[in-house]
Amino acid sequence: MPRLRGGLLLTMALYSNPRLLSAVRGAVEPLAEALGFSAPHRRSITRAIDEALTNIVRHSYSNQRDRPITLYFRKIRRRIGDSIEQGLEIVLCDRGPAIDPGKFRGRALDEIRPGGLGLHLIHEAMDKVEFTRKGRTNRLRLVKYLSETGDDV
Amino acid sequence: MQISVRRSNTTTIFDVSGDIDFANSPEVRESLLREIREIRASRVLVNLTAVRYIDSSGVASLVEGLKASRDYGSRLILFGLSIAAREVLQLSRLLKVFEVYDSEEEALAH
């Protein structure tokens, strides 16, 4: 388990079965709502997590359905000038082979072709997207902060 | 997710509802490609009104349908985009690539 002190809201452990993705989406939206994210941000956060999970199933586990994935949801804060901004941190862990971090940039959208949109949707939704490999674990950290203008509950 | 199909002459309408995600987007893809390549519908309309969620694999299925329609000289038309569908197509910069209408009546009139 990664170091996640304080602010832990929810932990989910699931198998890499695509049929379970809807269960995660079903948990994320109300969690983001409870933290005060606006409806568009709730949808984009849910989409980012769903796309990240899909990438794990497809690329990290090569569509094997019985591999472990763990998600940690944590409430975080950051100081900007005199104000404190709240946010949601999601850490997705899998035990697949090491992934080239360079592949986490997504593709350009100027070409009309299927595939490769997931990473773009993740980057579009989140304020931070960080990939690390620790031991035998791939760790994708996603962070979204509540913005004063965009999240009016 | 559920897909139902309505056929009339050379026009096919797919009514899709629920969530289109990695688990079920192959079903959308196969339905569209069969209609275009095998049944040779000249117009394939996809009703997205009741789509609650669509991920990038769902969008990819629509793009594959669009490409097949161009290859086979037919048209793939989307109508009644839900908020979720519109958002994803906008973010993917594909909204203007597809033929999109607000309603079924409007889509059929073109």
Side-chain angles (χ1 to χ4, degrees):
Chain A
M1 178 172 169
R3 282 174 57 209
L4 293 171
R5 280 175 298 200
L8 185 64
L9 297 165
L10 176 70
T11 304
M12 297 181 87
L14 63 145
Y15 288 116
S16 53
N17 186 333
R19 290 190 176 276
L20 299 176
L21 297 180
S22 62
V24 178
R25 293 197 300 271
V28 172
E29 277 234 33
L31 182 68
E33 184 175 15
L35 291 177
F37 285 100
S38 64
H41 283 160
R42 293 199 295 272
R43 286 194 296 274
S44 65
I45 292 168
T46 304
R47 200 158 46 226
I49 295 168
D50 186 68
E51 295 289 349
L53 284 170
T54 296
N55 281 345
I56 290 172
V57 174
R58 289 181 67 189
H59 303 300
S60 197
Y61 288 146
S62 303
N63 294 312
Q64 295 176 86
R65 296 177 172 218
D66 57 352
R67 308 296 295 140
I69 301 172
T70 312
L71 296 94
Y72 303 93
F73 298 84
R74 183 174 164 237
K75 189 175 178 178
I76 57 170
R77 306 166 79 181
R78 73 173 173 185
R79 179 178 289 279
I80 294 188
D82 291 335
S83 61
I84 298 287
E85 212 171 41
Q86 309 262 15
L88 174 63
E89 177 193 73
I90 308 104
V91 178
L92 299 94
C93 299
D94 72 75
R95 307 276 287 173
I99 306 281
D100 174 8
K103 289 185 177 173
F104 278 87
R105 283 194 284 271
R107 70 165 172 87
L109 296 181
D110 48 5
E111 192 185 348
I112 301 161
R113 66 169 172 86
L117 293 173
L119 281 172
H120 171 75
L121 296 175
I122 294 171
H123 284 281
E124 188 75 35
M126 308 306 290
D127 294 320
K128 284 185 184 174
V129 179
E130 297 167 351
F131 175 79
T132 53
R133 172 88 174 173
K134 200 166 187 179
R136 291 184 173 182
T137 302
N138 291 315
R139 190 172 179 272
L140 181 65
R141 179 174 179 259
L142 309 175
V143 175
K144 181 69 181 174
Y145 290 103
L146 278 158
S147 67
E148 287 177 16
T149 50
D151 300 287
D152 47 10
V153 193
Chain B
M1 182 202 65
Q2 287 197 319
I3 307 180
S4 57
V5 60
R6 292 179 278 151
R7 292 192 182 94
S8 163
N9 297 322
T10 57
T11 297
T12 299
I13 303 174
F14 286 110
D15 297 298
V16 189
S17 62
D19 292 10
I20 307 174
D21 66 8
F22 183 54
N24 56 36
S25 59
E27 198 183 330
V28 175
R29 176 185 176 276
E30 284 157 24
S31 300
L32 291 176
L33 295 183
R34 187 173 54 244
E35 209 64 25
I36 293 162
R37 291 174 178 167
E38 294 170 29
I39 296 176
R40 296 294 187 101
S42 62
R43 278 195 307 187
V44 176
L45 281 63
V46 185
N47 178 3
L48 296 170
T49 311
V51 168
R52 196 175 46 189
Y53 177 80
I54 177 167
D55 76 346
S56 63
S57 71
V59 172
S61 299
L62 295 176
V63 170
E64 284 199 66
L66 179 67
K67 291 203 160 195
S69 72
R70 288 174 177 173
D71 290 344
Y72 283 76
S74 64
R75 291 164 66 200
L76 181 78
I77 300 166
L78 311 180
F79 72 87
L81 271 60
S82 62
I83 291 173
R86 186 171 289 277
E87 267 178 0
V88 170
L89 288 172
Q90 241 159 8
L91 288 168
S92 310
R93 298 186 202 155
L94 289 167
L95 201 52
K96 288 180 180 172
V97 171
F98 286 97
E99 203 176 335
V100 178
Y101 297 101
D102 289 338
S103 66
E104 181 173 329
E105 292 70 29
E106 213 180 320
L108 286 170
H110 285 82

